[in-house]
Amino acid sequence: MQRSPIRKRVAVTGASGLIGSALVRSLRTDGHDVLRLVRRPARTADEVEWDPERLYVDAAGLVGVDAVVHLAGAGVGERRWNEAYKKEIRDSRVLGTTAISQALASLANPPEALVCGTALGWYGDTGTRAVDESAPAGTGFLPSVCVEWEAAAAPAEEAGIRVTYARTGLVVAREGGAWGRLFPVFRAGLGGRMGDGRQYWSHISLHDEVAALRHLVDTPALSGPVNLTAPEPVTNREVTAAMGRVLRRPTLFAVPAPVLKVVLGDFADDVLGSQRVLPGRLLETGFDFAFPTIDDAIRAALR
């Protein structure tokens, strides 16, 4: 993918997270100005204060930005799910998106684009059925969160800002996220399938995730939902085999579904659920995946 040669001013929420920090590095390497939204008083010229729980954003700090990439939110797989943490997951996404979209809508000259990071959780459990961006929302906790999450960007859309919803899959990275916890287990030879292993995991390499976010910023034709996932979804059994193959470790162990439910709480239903999601709109707009297969993505994460 050819990147825009025009220098842009881009604001990023969630800039200290796995995806956000990689995106900030990528943008700055290519000479773009990056503002990071922080949950404390700004200390440097590249920081803007915000407090999503209070729906507060220092909108004056966003004057002159060309685009905003909104990635902030409580980690879905960071803790065992209970009702309190499920509320934190929902509030962090809905309130944060509301705060950002209202702040951008208040500007006399709002930015051209808002890229709102959401999730494949929108589709719920698709079983073996392949779906693209035309599919309706599924049922359950994560789909309901995603529906509210995306709806919270309405003020930005109504202000004429081009809004895209980056529905991201499982990011294959060594530094963090779900895969960051898988690598040590598989390296130790303790990795294996989860449940029966037949559930589809729609993944994307960290490199392609960052490139896709930049593609959304730079492509005026893109608005609405865009799936950020590799073109070849694979089952958990296939992921397990690929991890063993690339790391050259045995994958004899398996985690039974009842054990996952004890460890993960309600999140186990999503780990055991199946999402076979295709990146229809990325491919239609000429995006080239550097690491399209699961083996490619795993090897890229190890570099």
Side-chain angles (χ1 to χ4, degrees), residues 223-237:
S223 62
V226 183
N227 295 334
L228 271 57
T229 179
E232 299 178 22
V234 290
T235 65
N236 177 255
R237 283 182 180 269

Side-chain angles (χ1 to χ4, degrees), residues 274-288:
S274 182
Q275 291 190 312
R276 190 177 183 184
V277 181
L278 305 177
R281 301 194 69 205
L282 278 183
L283 296 175
E284 288 170 5
T285 52
F287 182 79
D288 292 322

Side-chain angles (χ1 to χ4, degrees), residues 49-291:
E49 182 183 0
W50 79 317
D51 184 341
E53 293 181 0
R54 293 194 297 113
L55 297 180
Y56 170 74
V57 180
D58 178 12
L62 298 176
V63 170
V65 299
D66 299 296
V68 175
V69 182
H70 172 46
L71 302 173
V76 170
E78 297 298 321
R79 286 163 43 189
R80 187 181 188 276
W81 280 16
N82 54 29
E83 290 307 310
Y85 195 57
K86 287 165 73 172
K87 182 179 185 301
E88 183 176 340
I89 288 171
R90 184 187 299 272
D91 288 351
S92 68
R93 286 157 173 75
V94 176
L95 296 179
T97 303
T98 300
I100 286 294
S101 58
Q102 289 181 346
L104 297 181
S106 73
L107 297 176
N109 294 295
E112 172 197 340
L114 168 62
V115 176
C116 183
T118 64
L120 297 188
W122 166 278
Y123 302 104
D125 190 336
T126 73
T128 60
R129 177 173 54 96
V131 299
D132 62 14
E133 291 88 350
S134 65
T139 58
F141 173 68
L142 281 181
S144 70
V145 169
C146 289
V147 169
E148 289 187 53
W149 192 358
E150 295 188 5
E157 288 189 328
E158 292 164 3
I161 299 169
R162 176 175 61 87
V163 179
T164 55
Y165 304 101
R167 295 177 180 169
T168 293
L170 290 167
V171 177
V172 184
R174 187 175 51 182
E175 302 91 340
W179 235 280
R181 292 188 290 279
L182 287 180
F183 273 115
V185 175
F186 276 86
R187 281 186 183 279
L190 301 175
R193 61 177 171 79
M194 296 184 182
D196 63 17
R198 296 175 184 171
Q199 68 272 30
Y200 275 88
W201 280 16
S202 294
H203 67 280
I204 186 169
S205 72
L206 179 59
H207 174 98
D208 285 331
E209 170 74 9
V210 169
L213 289 170
R214 295 189 56 177
H215 181 73
L216 300 191
V217 169
D218 291 337
T219 307
L222 279 173
S223 62
V226 183
N227 295 334
L228 271 57
T229 179
E232 299 178 22
V234 290
T235 65
N236 177 255
R237 283 182 180 269
E238 292 171 315
V239 168
T240 299
M243 290 287 280
R245 190 163 54 244
V246 174
L247 295 173
R248 299 182 182 178
R249 293 291 188 274
T251 56
L252 303 177
F253 294 87
V255 185
V259 174
L260 280 173
K261 290 181 179 180
V262 170
V263 174
L264 301 177
D266 291 345
F267 184 43
D269 293 333
D270 291 275
V271 171
L272 296 168
S274 182
Q275 291 190 312
R276 190 177 183 184
V277 181
L278 305 177
R281 301 194 69 205
L282 278 183
L283 296 175
E284 288 170 5
T285 52
F287 182 79
D288 292 322
F289 286 88
F291 305 103

